Structure formats: C-alpha cells, structure tokens
Amino acid sequence: MAGLNIEDVLFYAFGAGTVLSAVLVVFFANPIYSALFLALAMSMLGALFFVLEAYFISVAQITVYAGAVMVLFVMVLMLFDLKNEGEDILKVSPLGLIKLLAVGLLCGFFIGTGWVASKIPGKVISETSMASDQQTAINKDVQPVDIGSTVSLSRQLFSKYVFAFEAVSILLLVAIVGSVALARSKGGTHHVSR
Amino acid sequence: MSLDNLHVGINHYLVLSGILFSIGVLGVLIRKNAIVILMSIELMLNAVNLDFVAFAKFSQNIDGQVMVFFVMTIAAAEAAVGLAIAIAVYKRFQEVNISRFENLKG
C-alpha cells in the first residue's frame, strides 16, 4: 500500500482548501469577502462529496448552497450599507483569548480522537471492514445498496423517509410565510412611528 | 510516520469535519456581525454533512445521504428566516451587530 492514490490526493487538496476558506470566512472583516469565501468552501465540500461517491448530494450542495443560499446572503448584504462596519476581529482581549482557547481545545479533542482511533490495532475502520460487518449484521432489512446512485437515494427517500419528506415540505412552507412576514414588518419588531 | 497513515480512511474525514466545525464555532463566538454568524452556522452544518456522507460511504449505507438531504433543506429554511430577522434588525437600528438582538421583544 505504498503511494497515495488519486482519492487521497483529492482529499488532501480539497480538505486543505476547505479549511483555508473557512478560516478566511471567519477572519475577513468585510462580510462580502466572507460570503465569497463561504461559497468557495461550499464548492470544495461539494467536490469532497463527489470524492465520497455521493454524486447527487454533491450536485445539490453546489446548486443549493454555493448557488441559492449564497445568493440570498449576498443579496441581503447588498441591501445593507455596511461600509462603516469596522469590526476589530483580531483585537486581543481576555474574553477573546478564552474563546480562542476553548475552540482550540475543542479542535484538539477532535484531532486527538481521530489520531487515537487510527492507532487502535485491529479496529481500523475501512470501507471493506464496515461493509462486511453489515453483511453479518442482525439488522437484515438493510440491503447493500449502490451508494453512488440517485435511484437508491430516491428509493429510500420516498419509502422509508416519506413522512420526514412531507414534514420538510410543511417546514419550508412555514419558513416562506415566516420570512416574508418578518421582512415586511415595519421597523423590525418594534412599533415605532417613523 | 509511515505513508500508510496518510492513506485516507474515515478518521481523516472525521478530523476534517471536526476542524471545520471548530472554525464554525469560533466564528459564532468571536464575530459581532449577525450575517457572518449565520455563515458560521452554515459552516457547522456543512461539517456535519461531511460526517454523514463519509459514514454513508464507509458503511455502504445510503441513509446518511438522505439525512444530508434533510439537513440541507432545513439549513436553507434557517438561513431564510435568519436573514429576514437580520433585515428587520437592520431596519430598526441601521446595523446588524449581534448586541442589538437583545432588544428583540414582542
């Protein structure tokens, strides 16, 4: 198993790109740059989904997130006049240091857990070992499916998860009505005469 | 460190997702602009999506991808409502600083 294959190279390239864009989202003072780098991070995550053989999810990620949601963000930013938004992100304060420390600790826990898990002998979770675990699983109603195909995804969506699917449609209706009602209200949530 | 360790397994995806989630948490904690906070929340949701897809691939079970579908839908609805609230706050205070949100009441 010497040498990296193409999936490993793609993982490291897109993974590094995603992390870099995510850091830039947080540390750019101007929100419009944050939005653009968030779109970049979403697109690279879409590429990672492609590497993971989730083709439908990958395309949905790029159209829904990098397309629709980001257009929504940029439109709202255009509505605001945020030129005087001189936010001092890198200002050193005791509270800021505590926040940074806490997040660093959380990140360290994630990395440490992954590192420890990769060290446990005989428990290496690979594609083949987990798949063979599933063959012998007691839960026999889980059929081995082709995870790359949209057919098997939609079959699950419209049989096992059909109630959740319908519930999501109701949620979307509520969100549409709620956002229109919120955005139309005069002077925000307060009754002020202008 | 041998090259075998660099071979990508599920641990690599989980660590990447954890790093992305931590960056999202950092954004929510240190930023004052409500729009950027919403963006950081999107980042955290995407980190979780990466976890779901990685588990779907490595366990050859498509249910994870169905969950990602639902998370995406709900994240889009959440972004729409959050941005509508941000517009309402901007109309009232002419800025979207998060400290203005404490004045939200009926």
PDB file of all heavy atoms in Angstrom, chain A residues 8 12 26 28 42 53 61 65 81 87 99 130 147 156 160 183 190 194, chain B residues 3 6-7 29 31-32 42 46 57-58 63 65 72-73 75 88 90-91 103:
ATOM      1  N   ASP A   8      -6.873   9.940  -2.272  1.00  0.00           N
ATOM      2  CA  ASP A   8      -6.153  10.568  -1.161  1.00  0.00           C
ATOM      3  C   ASP A   8      -5.686  11.961  -1.542  1.00  0.00           C
ATOM      4  O   ASP A   8      -5.833  12.917  -0.772  1.00  0.00           O
ATOM      5  CB  ASP A   8      -4.946   9.713  -0.776  1.00  0.00           C
ATOM      6  CG  ASP A   8      -5.360   8.321  -0.340  1.00  0.00           C
ATOM      7  OD1 ASP A   8      -6.563   8.147  -0.075  1.00  0.00           O
ATOM      8  OD2 ASP A   8      -4.505   7.446  -0.272  1.00  0.00           O
ATOM      9  N   TYR A  12      -6.774  15.471   0.308  1.00  0.00           N
ATOM     10  CA  TYR A  12      -5.892  16.441   0.951  1.00  0.00           C
ATOM     11  C   TYR A  12      -6.001  17.805   0.285  1.00  0.00           C
ATOM     12  O   TYR A  12      -6.033  18.841   0.971  1.00  0.00           O
ATOM     13  CB  TYR A  12      -4.441  15.939   0.933  1.00  0.00           C
ATOM     14  CG  TYR A  12      -4.223  14.825   1.907  1.00  0.00           C
ATOM     15  CD1 TYR A  12      -3.885  13.558   1.493  1.00  0.00           C
ATOM     16  CD2 TYR A  12      -4.408  15.051   3.263  1.00  0.00           C
ATOM     17  CE1 TYR A  12      -3.708  12.531   2.392  1.00  0.00           C
ATOM     18  CE2 TYR A  12      -4.245  14.022   4.173  1.00  0.00           C
ATOM     19  CZ  TYR A  12      -3.890  12.770   3.728  1.00  0.00           C
ATOM     20  OH  TYR A  12      -3.741  11.772   4.630  1.00  0.00           O
ATOM     21  N   VAL A  26     -14.139  33.431   8.606  1.00  0.00           N
ATOM     22  CA  VAL A  26     -14.265  33.952   9.963  1.00  0.00           C
ATOM     23  C   VAL A  26     -13.441  35.226  10.136  1.00  0.00           C
ATOM     24  O   VAL A  26     -13.863  36.160  10.815  1.00  0.00           O
ATOM     25  CB  VAL A  26     -13.848  32.867  10.968  1.00  0.00           C
ATOM     26  CG1 VAL A  26     -13.791  33.430  12.367  1.00  0.00           C
ATOM     27  CG2 VAL A  26     -14.812  31.714  10.913  1.00  0.00           C
ATOM     28  N   PHE A  28     -12.189  37.549   7.815  1.00  0.00           N
ATOM     29  CA  PHE A  28     -12.317  38.744   6.977  1.00  0.00           C
ATOM     30  C   PHE A  28     -13.272  39.728   7.639  1.00  0.00           C
ATOM     31  O   PHE A  28     -14.368  39.357   8.046  1.00  0.00           O
ATOM     32  CB  PHE A  28     -12.852  38.386   5.585  1.00  0.00           C
ATOM     33  CG  PHE A  28     -11.801  38.393   4.528  1.00  0.00           C
ATOM     34  CD1 PHE A  28     -11.436  37.250   3.864  1.00  0.00           C
ATOM     35  CD2 PHE A  28     -11.156  39.598   4.198  1.00  0.00           C
ATOM     36  CE1 PHE A  28     -10.449  37.266   2.893  1.00  0.00           C
ATOM     37  CE2 PHE A  28     -10.170  39.609   3.228  1.00  0.00           C
ATOM     38  CZ  PHE A  28      -9.818  38.443   2.582  1.00  0.00           C
ATOM     39  N   MET A  42     -18.039  25.960   0.286  1.00  0.00           N
ATOM     40  CA  MET A  42     -19.155  25.065  -0.066  1.00  0.00           C
ATOM     41  C   MET A  42     -18.848  24.290  -1.338  1.00  0.00           C
ATOM     42  O   MET A  42     -19.127  23.083  -1.424  1.00  0.00           O
ATOM     43  CB  MET A  42     -20.429  25.878  -0.304  1.00  0.00           C
ATOM     44  CG  MET A  42     -20.886  26.685   0.853  1.00  0.00           C
ATOM     45  SD  MET A  42     -21.429  25.666   2.172  1.00  0.00           S
ATOM     46  CE  MET A  42     -22.034  26.912   3.272  1.00  0.00           C
ATOM     47  N   GLU A  53     -18.321   9.621  -3.456  1.00  0.00           N
ATOM     48  CA  GLU A  53     -19.307   8.928  -4.292  1.00  0.00           C
ATOM     49  C   GLU A  53     -20.744   9.330  -4.023  1.00  0.00           C
ATOM     50  O   GLU A  53     -21.668   8.593  -4.363  1.00  0.00           O
ATOM     51  CB  GLU A  53     -19.184   7.400  -4.148  1.00  0.00           C
ATOM     52  CG  GLU A  53     -17.871   6.868  -4.655  1.00  0.00           C
ATOM     53  CD  GLU A  53     -17.733   5.394  -4.401  1.00  0.00           C
ATOM     54  OE1 GLU A  53     -18.755   4.713  -4.344  1.00  0.00           O
ATOM     55  OE2 GLU A  53     -16.593   4.933  -4.253  1.00  0.00           O
ATOM     56  N   GLN A  61     -25.348  20.137  -3.250  1.00  0.00           N
ATOM     57  CA  GLN A  61     -24.540  21.053  -2.438  1.00  0.00           C
ATOM     58  C   GLN A  61     -24.162  22.286  -3.250  1.00  0.00           C
ATOM     59  O   GLN A  61     -24.260  23.410  -2.776  1.00  0.00           O
ATOM     60  CB  GLN A  61     -23.275  20.323  -1.982  1.00  0.00           C
ATOM     61  CG  GLN A  61     -22.210  21.194  -1.381  1.00  0.00           C
ATOM     62  CD  GLN A  61     -22.388  21.381   0.096  1.00  0.00           C
ATOM     63  OE1 GLN A  61     -23.229  20.741   0.691  1.00  0.00           O
ATOM     64  NE2 GLN A  61     -21.620  22.266   0.665  1.00  0.00           N
ATOM     65  N   TYR A  65     -26.347  25.253  -1.909  1.00  0.00           N
ATOM     66  CA  TYR A  65     -25.522  26.077  -1.018  1.00  0.00           C
ATOM     67  C   TYR A  65     -24.738  27.129  -1.779  1.00  0.00           C
ATOM     68  O   TYR A  65     -24.928  28.322  -1.590  1.00  0.00           O
ATOM     69  CB  TYR A  65     -24.554  25.193  -0.231  1.00  0.00           C
ATOM     70  CG  TYR A  65     -25.103  24.782   1.091  1.00  0.00           C
ATOM     71  CD1 TYR A  65     -25.228  23.458   1.433  1.00  0.00           C
ATOM     72  CD2 TYR A  65     -25.487  25.742   2.014  1.00  0.00           C
ATOM     73  CE1 TYR A  65     -25.736  23.079   2.646  1.00  0.00           C
ATOM     74  CE2 TYR A  65     -25.982  25.363   3.230  1.00  0.00           C
ATOM     75  CZ  TYR A  65     -26.105  24.039   3.538  1.00  0.00           C
ATOM     76  OH  TYR A  65     -26.600  23.670   4.739  1.00  0.00           O
ATOM     77  N   ASP A  81     -25.990  48.775   4.100  1.00  0.00           N
ATOM     78  CA  ASP A  81     -24.861  49.655   3.797  1.00  0.00           C
ATOM     79  C   ASP A  81     -23.865  49.489   4.939  1.00  0.00           C
ATOM     80  O   ASP A  81     -23.949  50.164   5.961  1.00  0.00           O
ATOM     81  CB  ASP A  81     -25.343  51.099   3.685  1.00  0.00           C
ATOM     82  CG  ASP A  81     -24.206  51.990   3.277  1.00  0.00           C
ATOM     83  OD1 ASP A  81     -23.269  51.483   2.647  1.00  0.00           O
ATOM     84  OD2 ASP A  81     -24.261  53.178   3.601  1.00  0.00           O
ATOM     85  N   GLU A  87     -15.180  46.251  12.069  1.00  0.00           N
ATOM     86  CA  GLU A  87     -15.161  45.326  13.199  1.00  0.00           C
ATOM     87  C   GLU A  87     -13.732  44.895  13.495  1.00  0.00           C
ATOM     88  O   GLU A  87     -12.999  44.470  12.603  1.00  0.00           O
ATOM     89  CB  GLU A  87     -16.021  44.106  12.862  1.00  0.00           C
ATOM     90  CG  GLU A  87     -16.333  43.271  14.070  1.00  0.00           C
ATOM     91  CD  GLU A  87     -17.143  42.053  13.679  1.00  0.00           C
ATOM     92  OE1 GLU A  87     -17.913  42.147  12.702  1.00  0.00           O
ATOM     93  OE2 GLU A  87     -17.011  41.031  14.330  1.00  0.00           O
ATOM     94  N   LYS A  99     -12.161  32.527  24.501  1.00  0.00           N
ATOM     95  CA  LYS A  99     -12.924  31.921  23.402  1.00  0.00           C
ATOM     96  C   LYS A  99     -12.010  31.136  22.475  1.00  0.00           C
ATOM     97  O   LYS A  99     -12.299  30.002  22.091  1.00  0.00           O
ATOM     98  CB  LYS A  99     -13.631  33.020  22.606  1.00  0.00           C
ATOM     99  CG  LYS A  99     -14.815  33.635  23.298  1.00  0.00           C
ATOM    100  CD  LYS A  99     -15.285  34.831  22.518  1.00  0.00           C
ATOM    101  CE  LYS A  99     -16.445  35.508  23.184  1.00  0.00           C
ATOM    102  NZ  LYS A  99     -16.790  36.772  22.523  1.00  0.00           N
ATOM    103  N   MET A 130     -16.190  -2.327   7.457  1.00  0.00           N
ATOM    104  CA  MET A 130     -17.529  -1.946   7.887  1.00  0.00           C
ATOM    105  C   MET A 130     -18.580  -2.552   6.995  1.00  0.00           C
ATOM    106  O   MET A 130     -19.658  -2.914   7.441  1.00  0.00           O
ATOM    107  CB  MET A 130     -17.667  -0.424   7.917  1.00  0.00           C
ATOM    108  CG  MET A 130     -17.287   0.147   9.264  1.00  0.00           C
ATOM    109  SD  MET A 130     -17.444   1.912   9.345  1.00  0.00           S
ATOM    110  CE  MET A 130     -19.114   2.062   9.904  1.00  0.00           C
ATOM    111  N   ILE A 147     -24.292   3.123  -3.232  1.00  0.00           N
ATOM    112  CA  ILE A 147     -24.464   4.429  -2.602  1.00  0.00           C
ATOM    113  C   ILE A 147     -24.233   5.577  -3.572  1.00  0.00           C
ATOM    114  O   ILE A 147     -24.516   6.710  -3.257  1.00  0.00           O
ATOM    115  CB  ILE A 147     -23.528   4.601  -1.388  1.00  0.00           C
ATOM    116  CG1 ILE A 147     -22.069   4.501  -1.814  1.00  0.00           C
ATOM    117  CG2 ILE A 147     -23.862   3.643  -0.290  1.00  0.00           C
ATOM    118  CD1 ILE A 147     -21.149   5.160  -0.849  1.00  0.00           C
ATOM    119  N   GLN A 156     -34.984   5.264  -1.048  1.00  0.00           N
ATOM    120  CA  GLN A 156     -35.032   5.424   0.409  1.00  0.00           C
ATOM    121  C   GLN A 156     -35.884   6.626   0.796  1.00  0.00           C
ATOM    122  O   GLN A 156     -36.683   6.581   1.724  1.00  0.00           O
ATOM    123  CB  GLN A 156     -33.618   5.620   0.957  1.00  0.00           C
ATOM    124  CG  GLN A 156     -32.807   4.374   0.994  1.00  0.00           C
ATOM    125  CD  GLN A 156     -33.294   3.447   2.068  1.00  0.00           C
ATOM    126  OE1 GLN A 156     -33.475   3.838   3.201  1.00  0.00           O
ATOM    127  NE2 GLN A 156     -33.539   2.209   1.709  1.00  0.00           N
ATOM    128  N   LYS A 160     -38.782   4.827   3.018  1.00  0.00           N
ATOM    129  CA  LYS A 160     -38.507   4.801   4.460  1.00  0.00           C
ATOM    130  C   LYS A 160     -38.694   6.169   5.091  1.00  0.00           C
ATOM    131  O   LYS A 160     -39.151   6.294   6.218  1.00  0.00           O
ATOM    132  CB  LYS A 160     -37.079   4.292   4.655  1.00  0.00           C
ATOM    133  CG  LYS A 160     -36.708   3.975   6.072  1.00  0.00           C
ATOM    134  CD  LYS A 160     -35.327   3.322   6.076  1.00  0.00           C
ATOM    135  CE  LYS A 160     -34.761   3.188   7.457  1.00  0.00           C
ATOM    136  NZ  LYS A 160     -33.364   2.726   7.386  1.00  0.00           N
ATOM    137  N   ALA A 183     -39.824  40.059   7.196  1.00  0.00           N
ATOM    138  CA  ALA A 183     -39.158  41.082   6.402  1.00  0.00           C
ATOM    139  C   ALA A 183     -40.091  42.236   6.080  1.00  0.00           C
ATOM    140  O   ALA A 183     -39.646  43.351   5.842  1.00  0.00           O
ATOM    141  CB  ALA A 183     -38.612  40.471   5.113  1.00  0.00           C
ATOM    142  N   HIS A 190     -40.228  46.280  16.579  1.00  0.00           N
ATOM    143  CA  HIS A 190     -40.761  47.284  17.489  1.00  0.00           C
ATOM    144  C   HIS A 190     -41.802  48.129  16.767  1.00  0.00           C
ATOM    145  O   HIS A 190     -41.722  48.332  15.567  1.00  0.00           O
ATOM    146  CB  HIS A 190     -39.647  48.207  17.973  1.00  0.00           C
ATOM    147  CG  HIS A 190     -38.713  47.529  18.911  1.00  0.00           C
ATOM    148  ND1 HIS A 190     -38.485  47.968  20.172  1.00  0.00           N
ATOM    149  CD2 HIS A 190     -37.957  46.427  18.759  1.00  0.00           C
ATOM    150  CE1 HIS A 190     -37.621  47.163  20.755  1.00  0.00           C
ATOM    151  NE2 HIS A 190     -37.289  46.225  19.915  1.00  0.00           N
ATOM    152  N   ARG A 194     -42.449  56.195  12.227  1.00  0.00           N
ATOM    153  CA  ARG A 194     -41.393  56.875  11.501  1.00  0.00           C
ATOM    154  C   ARG A 194     -42.004  57.936  10.616  1.00  0.00           C
ATOM    155  O   ARG A 194     -42.934  57.635   9.903  1.00  0.00           O
ATOM    156  CB  ARG A 194     -40.622  55.880  10.616  1.00  0.00           C
ATOM    157  CG  ARG A 194     -39.940  54.848  11.419  1.00  0.00           C
ATOM    158  CD  ARG A 194     -39.538  53.713  10.508  1.00  0.00           C
ATOM    159  NE  ARG A 194     -38.309  53.118  11.012  1.00  0.00           N
ATOM    160  CZ  ARG A 194     -37.188  53.070  10.302  1.00  0.00           C
ATOM    161  NH1 ARG A 194     -37.129  53.577   9.116  1.00  0.00           N
ATOM    162  NH2 ARG A 194     -36.131  52.502  10.797  1.00  0.00           N
TER     163      ARG A 194
ATOM    164  N   LEU B   3       3.745   6.080   5.409  1.00  0.00           N
ATOM    165  CA  LEU B   3       2.827   6.538   4.372  1.00  0.00           C
ATOM    166  C   LEU B   3       1.467   5.871   4.510  1.00  0.00           C
ATOM    167  O   LEU B   3       0.463   6.392   4.045  1.00  0.00           O
ATOM    168  CB  LEU B   3       3.448   6.227   3.004  1.00  0.00           C
ATOM    169  CG  LEU B   3       2.975   7.089   1.837  1.00  0.00           C
ATOM    170  CD1 LEU B   3       3.273   8.538   2.129  1.00  0.00           C
ATOM    171  CD2 LEU B   3       3.657   6.660   0.565  1.00  0.00           C
ATOM    172  N   LEU B   6      -1.107   7.984   5.968  1.00  0.00           N
ATOM    173  CA  LEU B   6      -1.657   9.046   5.135  1.00  0.00           C
ATOM    174  C   LEU B   6      -2.772   8.540   4.230  1.00  0.00           C
ATOM    175  O   LEU B   6      -3.452   9.325   3.596  1.00  0.00           O
ATOM    176  CB  LEU B   6      -0.538   9.647   4.265  1.00  0.00           C
ATOM    177  CG  LEU B   6       0.450  10.536   5.000  1.00  0.00           C
ATOM    178  CD1 LEU B   6       1.575  10.924   4.079  1.00  0.00           C
ATOM    179  CD2 LEU B   6      -0.243  11.771   5.506  1.00  0.00           C
ATOM    180  N   HIS B   7      -2.916   7.238   4.172  1.00  0.00           N
ATOM    181  CA  HIS B   7      -3.983   6.662   3.352  1.00  0.00           C
ATOM    182  C   HIS B   7      -5.331   7.032   3.956  1.00  0.00           C
ATOM    183  O   HIS B   7      -5.579   6.781   5.129  1.00  0.00           O
ATOM    184  CB  HIS B   7      -3.796   5.153   3.304  1.00  0.00           C
ATOM    185  CG  HIS B   7      -4.545   4.517   2.195  1.00  0.00           C
ATOM    186  ND1 HIS B   7      -4.196   4.688   0.880  1.00  0.00           N
ATOM    187  CD2 HIS B   7      -5.632   3.730   2.201  1.00  0.00           C
ATOM    188  CE1 HIS B   7      -5.037   4.026   0.120  1.00  0.00           C
ATOM    189  NE2 HIS B   7      -5.930   3.439   0.890  1.00  0.00           N
ATOM    190  N   LEU B  29     -18.511  32.576  17.980  1.00  0.00           N
ATOM    191  CA  LEU B  29     -18.112  33.178  19.257  1.00  0.00           C
ATOM    192  C   LEU B  29     -17.510  34.565  19.076  1.00  0.00           C
ATOM    193  O   LEU B  29     -17.814  35.479  19.844  1.00  0.00           O
ATOM    194  CB  LEU B  29     -17.114  32.261  19.969  1.00  0.00           C
ATOM    195  CG  LEU B  29     -17.698  31.022  20.608  1.00  0.00           C
ATOM    196  CD1 LEU B  29     -16.610  30.220  21.263  1.00  0.00           C
ATOM    197  CD2 LEU B  29     -18.749  31.381  21.636  1.00  0.00           C
ATOM    198  N   ARG B  31     -17.348  36.714  16.229  1.00  0.00           N
ATOM    199  CA  ARG B  31     -17.852  37.752  15.333  1.00  0.00           C
ATOM    200  C   ARG B  31     -19.046  38.465  15.951  1.00  0.00           C
ATOM    201  O   ARG B  31     -19.798  37.875  16.732  1.00  0.00           O
ATOM    202  CB  ARG B  31     -18.260  37.154  13.984  1.00  0.00           C
ATOM    203  CG  ARG B  31     -17.101  36.673  13.173  1.00  0.00           C
ATOM    204  CD  ARG B  31     -16.064  37.731  12.910  1.00  0.00           C
ATOM    205  NE  ARG B  31     -16.559  38.844  12.145  1.00  0.00           N
ATOM    206  CZ  ARG B  31     -16.271  39.061  10.863  1.00  0.00           C
ATOM    207  NH1 ARG B  31     -15.491  38.243  10.217  1.00  0.00           N
ATOM    208  NH2 ARG B  31     -16.751  40.115  10.247  1.00  0.00           N
ATOM    209  N   LYS B  32     -19.186  39.753  15.596  1.00  0.00           N
ATOM    210  CA  LYS B  32     -20.321  40.533  16.084  1.00  0.00           C
ATOM    211  C   LYS B  32     -21.382  40.729  15.004  1.00  0.00           C
ATOM    212  O   LYS B  32     -22.521  41.041  15.314  1.00  0.00           O
ATOM    213  CB  LYS B  32     -19.826  41.909  16.546  1.00  0.00           C
ATOM    214  CG  LYS B  32     -18.932  41.863  17.752  1.00  0.00           C
ATOM    215  CD  LYS B  32     -19.733  41.682  19.021  1.00  0.00           C
ATOM    216  CE  LYS B  32     -18.882  41.804  20.253  1.00  0.00           C
ATOM    217  NZ  LYS B  32     -17.964  40.636  20.371  1.00  0.00           N
ATOM    218  N   GLU B  42     -23.819  27.974   8.996  1.00  0.00           N
ATOM    219  CA  GLU B  42     -23.849  27.157   7.777  1.00  0.00           C
ATOM    220  C   GLU B  42     -22.612  26.280   7.684  1.00  0.00           C
ATOM    221  O   GLU B  42     -22.673  25.122   7.264  1.00  0.00           O
ATOM    222  CB  GLU B  42     -23.919  28.070   6.543  1.00  0.00           C
ATOM    223  CG  GLU B  42     -25.166  28.916   6.453  1.00  0.00           C
ATOM    224  CD  GLU B  42     -26.385  28.082   6.166  1.00  0.00           C
ATOM    225  OE1 GLU B  42     -26.274  27.127   5.413  1.00  0.00           O
ATOM    226  OE2 GLU B  42     -27.444  28.400   6.721  1.00  0.00           O
ATOM    227  N   ASN B  46     -22.438  22.223   7.490  1.00  0.00           N
ATOM    228  CA  ASN B  46     -21.744  21.527   6.414  1.00  0.00           C
ATOM    229  C   ASN B  46     -20.738  20.535   6.940  1.00  0.00           C
ATOM    230  O   ASN B  46     -20.513  19.494   6.323  1.00  0.00           O
ATOM    231  CB  ASN B  46     -21.075  22.533   5.499  1.00  0.00           C
ATOM    232  CG  ASN B  46     -21.979  22.937   4.380  1.00  0.00           C
ATOM    233  OD1 ASN B  46     -22.172  22.187   3.460  1.00  0.00           O
ATOM    234  ND2 ASN B  46     -22.582  24.094   4.493  1.00  0.00           N
ATOM    235  N   LYS B  57     -20.525   6.472   2.983  1.00  0.00           N
ATOM    236  CA  LYS B  57     -19.592   5.793   2.075  1.00  0.00           C
ATOM    237  C   LYS B  57     -18.913   4.610   2.748  1.00  0.00           C
ATOM    238  O   LYS B  57     -18.839   3.518   2.202  1.00  0.00           O
ATOM    239  CB  LYS B  57     -18.559   6.804   1.602  1.00  0.00           C
ATOM    240  CG  LYS B  57     -17.232   6.219   1.236  1.00  0.00           C
ATOM    241  CD  LYS B  57     -16.992   6.172  -0.238  1.00  0.00           C
ATOM    242  CE  LYS B  57     -15.698   5.461  -0.501  1.00  0.00           C
ATOM    243  NZ  LYS B  57     -15.028   5.742  -1.651  1.00  0.00           N
ATOM    244  N   PHE B  58     -18.421   4.834   3.988  1.00  0.00           N
ATOM    245  CA  PHE B  58     -17.596   3.795   4.590  1.00  0.00           C
ATOM    246  C   PHE B  58     -18.401   2.668   5.203  1.00  0.00           C
ATOM    247  O   PHE B  58     -17.858   1.631   5.535  1.00  0.00           O
ATOM    248  CB  PHE B  58     -16.644   4.406   5.620  1.00  0.00           C
ATOM    249  CG  PHE B  58     -15.532   5.169   4.979  1.00  0.00           C
ATOM    250  CD1 PHE B  58     -15.589   6.536   4.838  1.00  0.00           C
ATOM    251  CD2 PHE B  58     -14.436   4.496   4.477  1.00  0.00           C
ATOM    252  CE1 PHE B  58     -14.574   7.222   4.214  1.00  0.00           C
ATOM    253  CE2 PHE B  58     -13.412   5.182   3.856  1.00  0.00           C
ATOM    254  CZ  PHE B  58     -13.487   6.554   3.729  1.00  0.00           C
ATOM    255  N   ASP B  63     -28.516   5.744   3.996  1.00  0.00           N
ATOM    256  CA  ASP B  63     -29.331   6.559   4.888  1.00  0.00           C
ATOM    257  C   ASP B  63     -28.646   7.867   5.265  1.00  0.00           C
ATOM    258  O   ASP B  63     -29.308   8.882   5.465  1.00  0.00           O
ATOM    259  CB  ASP B  63     -29.656   5.775   6.162  1.00  0.00           C
ATOM    260  CG  ASP B  63     -30.653   4.676   5.888  1.00  0.00           C
ATOM    261  OD1 ASP B  63     -30.966   4.473   4.704  1.00  0.00           O
ATOM    262  OD2 ASP B  63     -31.109   4.036   6.836  1.00  0.00           O
ATOM    263  N   GLN B  65     -26.867   9.754   3.376  1.00  0.00           N
ATOM    264  CA  GLN B  65     -27.089  10.751   2.326  1.00  0.00           C
ATOM    265  C   GLN B  65     -28.494  11.322   2.391  1.00  0.00           C
ATOM    266  O   GLN B  65     -28.705  12.502   2.090  1.00  0.00           O
ATOM    267  CB  GLN B  65     -26.834  10.125   0.963  1.00  0.00           C
ATOM    268  CG  GLN B  65     -25.375   9.769   0.777  1.00  0.00           C
ATOM    269  CD  GLN B  65     -25.087   9.313  -0.629  1.00  0.00           C
ATOM    270  OE1 GLN B  65     -25.841   9.596  -1.535  1.00  0.00           O
ATOM    271  NE2 GLN B  65     -23.989   8.615  -0.795  1.00  0.00           N
ATOM    272  N   MET B  72     -29.730  19.834   4.546  1.00  0.00           N
ATOM    273  CA  MET B  72     -29.625  20.923   3.562  1.00  0.00           C
ATOM    274  C   MET B  72     -30.917  21.721   3.476  1.00  0.00           C
ATOM    275  O   MET B  72     -30.900  22.952   3.482  1.00  0.00           O
ATOM    276  CB  MET B  72     -29.337  20.339   2.184  1.00  0.00           C
ATOM    277  CG  MET B  72     -27.901  20.199   1.862  1.00  0.00           C
ATOM    278  SD  MET B  72     -27.808  19.610   0.187  1.00  0.00           S
ATOM    279  CE  MET B  72     -26.073  19.329   0.105  1.00  0.00           C
ATOM    280  N   THR B  73     -32.058  21.013   3.418  1.00  0.00           N
ATOM    281  CA  THR B  73     -33.341  21.699   3.315  1.00  0.00           C
ATOM    282  C   THR B  73     -33.568  22.586   4.525  1.00  0.00           C
ATOM    283  O   THR B  73     -33.956  23.749   4.402  1.00  0.00           O
ATOM    284  CB  THR B  73     -34.470  20.657   3.227  1.00  0.00           C
ATOM    285  OG1 THR B  73     -34.020  19.583   2.439  1.00  0.00           O
ATOM    286  CG2 THR B  73     -35.695  21.252   2.647  1.00  0.00           C
ATOM    287  N   ALA B  75     -31.330  23.747   6.599  1.00  0.00           N
ATOM    288  CA  ALA B  75     -30.371  24.840   6.652  1.00  0.00           C
ATOM    289  C   ALA B  75     -30.793  25.983   5.753  1.00  0.00           C
ATOM    290  O   ALA B  75     -30.639  27.156   6.111  1.00  0.00           O
ATOM    291  CB  ALA B  75     -28.993  24.339   6.250  1.00  0.00           C
ATOM    292  N   ALA B  88     -34.949  42.820   9.549  1.00  0.00           N
ATOM    293  CA  ALA B  88     -35.803  43.551  10.496  1.00  0.00           C
ATOM    294  C   ALA B  88     -34.951  44.337  11.480  1.00  0.00           C
ATOM    295  O   ALA B  88     -35.244  45.502  11.787  1.00  0.00           O
ATOM    296  CB  ALA B  88     -36.704  42.559  11.235  1.00  0.00           C
ATOM    297  N   TYR B  90     -31.883  45.387  10.968  1.00  0.00           N
ATOM    298  CA  TYR B  90     -31.199  46.473  10.256  1.00  0.00           C
ATOM    299  C   TYR B  90     -32.131  47.656  10.036  1.00  0.00           C
ATOM    300  O   TYR B  90     -31.724  48.811  10.160  1.00  0.00           O
ATOM    301  CB  TYR B  90     -30.672  45.967   8.916  1.00  0.00           C
ATOM    302  CG  TYR B  90     -29.923  47.021   8.156  1.00  0.00           C
ATOM    303  CD1 TYR B  90     -28.620  47.348   8.509  1.00  0.00           C
ATOM    304  CD2 TYR B  90     -30.511  47.719   7.102  1.00  0.00           C
ATOM    305  CE1 TYR B  90     -27.916  48.326   7.838  1.00  0.00           C
ATOM    306  CE2 TYR B  90     -29.811  48.693   6.430  1.00  0.00           C
ATOM    307  CZ  TYR B  90     -28.522  48.993   6.799  1.00  0.00           C
ATOM    308  OH  TYR B  90     -27.836  49.971   6.135  1.00  0.00           O
ATOM    309  N   LYS B  91     -33.398  47.370   9.733  1.00  0.00           N
ATOM    310  CA  LYS B  91     -34.357  48.459   9.528  1.00  0.00           C
ATOM    311  C   LYS B  91     -34.499  49.301  10.788  1.00  0.00           C
ATOM    312  O   LYS B  91     -34.670  50.511  10.727  1.00  0.00           O
ATOM    313  CB  LYS B  91     -35.725  47.869   9.187  1.00  0.00           C
ATOM    314  CG  LYS B  91     -35.960  47.590   7.732  1.00  0.00           C
ATOM    315  CD  LYS B  91     -37.437  47.337   7.583  1.00  0.00           C
ATOM    316  CE  LYS B  91     -37.763  46.510   6.389  1.00  0.00           C
ATOM    317  NZ  LYS B  91     -39.105  45.911   6.521  1.00  0.00           N
ATOM    318  N   ASN B 103     -32.409  43.534  22.182  1.00  0.00           N
ATOM    319  CA  ASN B 103     -33.579  44.399  22.263  1.00  0.00           C
ATOM    320  C   ASN B 103     -34.811  43.790  21.607  1.00  0.00           C
ATOM    321  O   ASN B 103     -35.852  44.423  21.577  1.00  0.00           O
ATOM    322  CB  ASN B 103     -33.277  45.726  21.568  1.00  0.00           C
ATOM    323  CG  ASN B 103     -32.193  46.474  22.296  1.00  0.00           C
ATOM    324  OD1 ASN B 103     -32.245  46.615  23.511  1.00  0.00           O
ATOM    325  ND2 ASN B 103     -31.204  46.940  21.560  1.00  0.00           N
TER     326      ASN B 103
END
